[in-house]
Amino acid sequence: MKIAIYPGSFDPVTLGHLDVIERAASLFDRLIVVVMHNQTKTPMFTLEERQDFLRRITSHLDNVEIDAFSGLLADYADKRGACTIVKGLRAVSDFEYEFQMALANRKLNPDLDTAFLMTSAKYMYLSSSIVKDIAAHGGSISGFVSPQIEDEVLKRMRKED
Ligand code: COA
């Protein structure tokens, strides 16, 4: 059984992330999407909210599981018996940082490889920060996040004002 992990902050999950999840789910027997902590970021949405958004938009994918973890990704992969980390590459600018993380993760867990999937061209520019910025300024996030969570994300952002 080939198990892969797709880690990220998912603050919030976008259609670009969903695109990567759907591609990865078709390549592996099981895909674990894990909400993790990036120590350079302060999340807007709680861990529970981020997992709930992910669960709702992936309910059509039988082999996808949603989880959260607060330690090292390499340790989590070991714990879950995963052999591959999946990451989405949007542009060349993502490459250097992703390359560094992939090598560090392999050093920490030599059995662990990172597979990069190209995000669809239509989502190349997308990021969670862009979604939050548009929502915070009263813009429409339709086409950026899944319709199942669009209202919830907007409502939650308005509460922050
Ligand atoms: N579509 C849309 N947006 C995408 C995307 C895609 N396919 N792929 C990435 N992005 C966006 C993300 O939304 C994020 O946007 P933001 O900066 O506005 O929040 C940005 O690109 C960066 O994404 P990513 O590279 O996945 O970083 P992340 O912060 O979401 O996740 C962790 C990084 C959590 C995976 C990493 O910090 C980690 O592994 N932490 C655990 C601790 C650890 O093991 N550290 C050692 C690592 S070597």
Side-chain angles (χ1 to χ4, degrees):
M1 174 120 155
K2 291 266 178 215
I3 302 175
I5 294 177
Y6 180 31
S9 346
F10 304 112
D11 187 45
V13 61
T14 68
L15 285 176
H17 292 126
L18 181 60
D19 179 56
V20 172
I21 292 171
E22 285 173 340
R23 285 164 199 278
S26 71
L27 293 173
F28 295 92
D29 298 313
R30 186 158 195 82
L31 178 72
I32 305 169
V33 182
V34 57
V35 182
M36 301 205 69
H37 182 61
N38 180 337
Q39 61 170 2
T40 65
K41 294 178 182 174
T42 308
M44 159 78 66
F45 297 93
T46 67
L47 209 57
E48 287 71 29
E49 285 172 321
R50 287 180 277 158
Q51 287 184 91
D52 177 51
F53 289 157
L54 277 161
R55 282 201 184 96
R56 281 202 247 162
I57 69 161
T58 58
S59 58
H60 61 298
L61 300 167
D62 289 343
N63 63 337
V64 172
E65 173 190 333
I66 310 300
D67 198 9
F69 188 71
S70 59
L72 273 179
L73 180 60
D75 290 343
Y76 180 76
D78 190 37
K79 184 173 107 137
R80 298 302 309 265
C83 53
T84 310
I85 296 171
V86 169
K87 295 294 305 248
L89 272 189
R90 293 165 302 168
V92 181
S93 52
D94 281 345
F95 182 76
E96 209 169 322
Y97 175 64
E98 292 295 347
F99 188 59
Q100 196 181 10
M101 283 212 289
L103 291 182
N105 279 319
R106 194 193 284 160
K107 174 88 178 148
L108 292 167
N109 179 346
D111 297 328
L112 198 55
D113 260 311
T114 302
F116 294 103
L117 296 182
M118 297 294 292
T119 306
S120 288
K122 59 184 174 184
Y123 300 129
M124 285 292 254
Y125 62 93
L126 201 50
S127 75
S128 300
S129 301
I130 283 181
V131 168
K132 284 181 282 195
D133 197 29
I134 294 170
H137 290 92
S140 164
I141 53 170
S142 162
F144 299 144
V145 302
S146 174
Q148 284 127 296
I149 63 166
E150 193 182 317
D151 287 348
E152 200 76 29
V153 171
L154 284 175
K155 203 160 63 184
R156 182 64 170 68
M157 293 289 301
R158 273 188 223 118
K159 265 196 228 159
E160 294 295 315
D161 293 344

